[in-house]
Amino acid sequence: MRVNQYIQGLPCWVELASHDALAGKQFYAELFGWRTQDMPIPDGIYTMFGLTPDSASDGEGQDDIGAAYQMPKEMSDQGVPTTWLVYFAVDSVDETVEKVKAEGGSLSMGPCDVGTAGRMAMFSDPEGARFAVWQAGEHIGARRQGEHGTLCWVELATRDPASAKMFYPNVLHWTSHAGDMPEFEYTEWLVGDKPMGGMLQMNEEWGEVPPHWMLYFAVDNCDEAAAKAKQLGGEICVPPTDIAKVGRFAVINDPQGGFFSIITLNLQQSASHLA
């Protein structure tokens, strides 16, 4: 469905920093059926991902859902992995910068204007999980959701959920409540009364994996999409697995090592989470 605006705190954009952006965009285009559009930027190429324009599209960029770019060599040389980054909509980037600093997070880039498209900044939370914020100008962010290949959920993996429950509500105005996961403790993040993300606690089984945000993309059939990802050179980290009352998901590493999840939501969850 079409999206015309995002309110404070909602995930609004996703961005892939890849060790091989050319191979990466080919992988995702084939996996999700995304179209790609390369745009020149001072440091190289910024590739816009989008869905096939629908009947409601009224111009260029009206079906954008995310983007990718080549990770700078100095970052890859430092061992930074191919990474997906989520952007959250904010009313004021500059006010959010001050809130992040006050709550113990750190600013890693910005704040800066992106032409007339909007204003952005990137951060790490107190545990090091990276995220970004976007103050819309002419570009609100992703223009489609609730369809195959679109972002449908974001999930924080953290070793200190109590700290996160203070940091993110104070920075992004979220609320939280306990999720319906009988096997383990799970927190849902809400914007208003809308669940849009979650949080789980990392235990010793996670080893040295750093705290991070996991992105979930909706797919029509989880098993078929996972098999296709493997065929395209991806690695299946968690095979297709049912989540009671939610749907069926899998965790995948793309050929460059970028991790993400896919999920086929049941009809009830699709309606409640994406409406």
Side-chain angles (χ1 to χ4, degrees):
M1 70 179 184
R2 303 282 297 145
V3 180
N4 295 314
Q5 66 175 355
Y6 289 94
I7 63 173
Q8 166 85 27
L10 285 178
C12 65
W13 190 245
V14 294
E15 193 175 73
L16 178 70
S18 178
H19 288 177
D20 187 342
L22 176 60
K25 74 177 182 180
Q26 292 173 340
F27 171 82
Y28 289 100
E30 291 189 47
L31 177 61
F32 292 127
W34 290 344
R35 61 108 176 117
T36 63
Q37 180 183 7
D38 291 340
M39 302 174 60
I41 57 176
D43 296 330
I45 298 293
Y46 192 74
T47 297
M48 303 290 282
F49 291 130
L51 302 185
T52 301
D54 64 11
S55 58
S57 297
D58 55 5
E60 184 178 340
Q62 295 303 296
D63 62 330
D64 294 339
I65 50 92
Y69 63 93
Q70 181 73 35
M71 181 181 292
K73 186 176 185 301
E74 57 270 22
M75 290 180 63
S76 58
D77 288 347
Q78 293 170 7
V80 179
T82 293
T83 306
W84 278 102
L85 180 72
V86 59
Y87 283 71
F88 298 103
V90 294
D91 297 329
S92 170
V93 166
D94 296 87
E95 290 181 7
T96 305
V97 168
E98 296 308 311
K99 290 178 181 178
V100 167
K101 292 178 179 178
E103 296 297 327
S106 59
L107 177 67
S108 56
M109 180 179 176
C112 59
D113 293 325
V114 184
T116 57
R119 187 166 175 80
M120 59 81 64
M122 293 184 186
F123 307 100
S124 292
D125 72 13
E127 273 205 292
R130 297 176 64 249
F131 68 99
V133 297
W134 182 252
Q135 180 182 337
E138 295 179 356
H139 198 279
I140 66 164
R143 297 303 298 265
R144 304 269 287 275
Q145 65 177 207
E147 305 172 58
H148 176 87
T150 60
L151 182 72
C152 66
W153 193 250
V154 292
E155 185 177 80
L156 177 65
T158 176
R159 293 183 174 85
D160 189 355
S163 174
K165 285 182 182 179
M166 296 184 63
F167 175 80
Y168 286 99
N170 287 339
V171 168
L172 294 171
H173 304 171
W174 296 347
T175 57
S176 67
H177 67 204
D180 186 11
M181 293 290 178
E183 298 87 359
F184 57 93
E185 184 175 339
Y186 193 82
T187 297
E188 285 192 346
W189 300 115
L190 293 83
V191 173
D193 60 356
K194 177 188 176 80
M196 57 77 193
M199 176 175 64
L200 52 82
Q201 183 168 8
M202 305 170 74
N203 56 29
E204 64 278 358
E205 295 178 0
W206 290 76
E208 297 182 0
V209 175
H212 60 273
W213 281 96
M214 172 69 79
L215 278 56
Y216 284 73
F217 296 98
V219 293
D220 295 333
N221 186 300
C222 180
D223 294 77
E224 292 180 1
K228 188 171 186 179
K230 185 175 181 179
Q231 179 185 5
L232 293 170
E235 177 186 356
I236 310 303
C237 300
V238 177
T241 303
D242 291 326
I243 307 174
K245 302 179 183 180
V246 176
R248 189 166 174 81
F249 87 108
V251 180
I252 298 169
N253 273 12
D254 69 25
Q256 289 71 50
F259 61 84
F260 64 99
S261 291
I262 56 175
I263 189 165
T264 301
L265 294 166
N266 65 32
L267 294 179
Q268 182 179 1
Q269 290 298 315
S270 293
S272 64
H273 285 181
L274 297 176

